[in-house]
Amino acid sequence: MLVVFIGPPGSGKGTQANQLCQHLSITHLSTGDMFRAAIQDETELGVQAQEYINRGELVPDQLVVSMVADALGNPPCNSGCLLDGFPRSLPQAEALDQMLDAEGKKVDLALELNVDEKVLIDRLLARKRPDDTIDTIHHRLQVYREQTSPLLNYYRERGQLRTVNGDGTVDEVHQQILAEVAEKNP
Ligand code: B4P
């Protein structure tokens, strides 16, 4: 099964992805985690990504797409995969569909985590990650509205989108996600 998580910063994509991957025994691919590892290891990709992340911008599509293409080619992804934070733009979604098409695969489920902006801001400020300053958070929310939210229609038109209310406890949200997954993958 191939699942994609879509949601604004702080909507709980990483939190819920961990739980769902454990439940389904599928591989968790978080582009945010991959960038943070590259930054920590001071790789060329990390150095390039860091300036975008610190400004609250999306890392350029070509860097993200080649990173994900490499990861998807790894054997652990063959038995199922959850993409957490990818795609985040229409060109990324189109690139993903092309990669999957070449393998005779497709996105089984695109899950939107829908959370009120005020709740998002409170959660992110409490998290205290270096890119979680108030100015950067506002910019990331604007980037989400402009560049990522068009993906909702993209997946809706393909019949792949389901939306859950991400403004509950971690367990309440997890239960809603399990219900959507069970419908798609009985
Ligand atoms: P990500 O790492 O994907 O991070 P995020 O969107 O900020 O957070 P997420 O939604 O995963 O929230 P979390 O579970 O942690 O991206 C970081 C940056 O990398 C981006 O801004 C961008 O620059 C770059 N990037 C990543 N992917 C990219 C791509 N495809 N293209 C271009 N650039 C890309 O939860 C947040 C907080 O809320 C946590 O503290 C958590 O404990 C708490 N929380 C979660 N669920 C909760 C709940 N139900 N109730 C209360 N608190 C909850």
Side-chain angles (χ1 to χ4, degrees), residues 148-162:
T148 308
S149 69
L151 291 181
L152 300 175
N153 259 344
Y154 181 91
Y155 286 113
R156 191 176 289 119
E157 281 167 4
R158 287 162 178 73
Q160 292 159 318
L161 184 74
R162 291 286 185 280

Side-chain angles (χ1 to χ4, degrees), residues 111-115 162-167 173 176-177 180:
L111 258 177
E112 178 198 9
L113 289 176
N114 187 14
V115 182
R162 291 286 185 280
T163 297
V164 302
N165 175 11
D167 188 5
V173 181
Q176 286 184 64
I177 290 174
E180 295 297 347

Side-chain angles (χ1 to χ4, degrees), residues 126-145:
R127 184 169 66 176
K128 294 189 171 78
R129 217 168 62 187
D131 56 332
D132 288 335
T133 64
I134 190 72
D135 289 346
T136 312
I137 291 169
H138 279 297
H139 187 56
R140 283 157 66 201
L141 289 170
Q142 184 190 354
V143 167
Y144 178 79
R145 285 192 293 269

Side-chain angles (χ1 to χ4, degrees), residues 7-16 30-33 35-36 52-53 56-59 64 84-88 92 123-124 127 129 131-132 140 166 168-170 173:
S11 55
K13 298 182 294 293
T15 306
Q16 294 298 329
S30 157
T31 44
D33 285 351
F35 286 131
R36 281 185 286 279
Y52 294 97
I53 292 175
E57 304 279 347
L58 294 185
V59 177
V64 189
D84 159 12
F86 180 90
R88 256 181 162 95
Q92 290 182 20
R123 280 186 191 176
L124 291 172
R127 184 169 66 176
R129 217 168 62 187
D131 56 332
D132 288 335
R140 283 157 66 201
T169 65
V170 170
V173 181

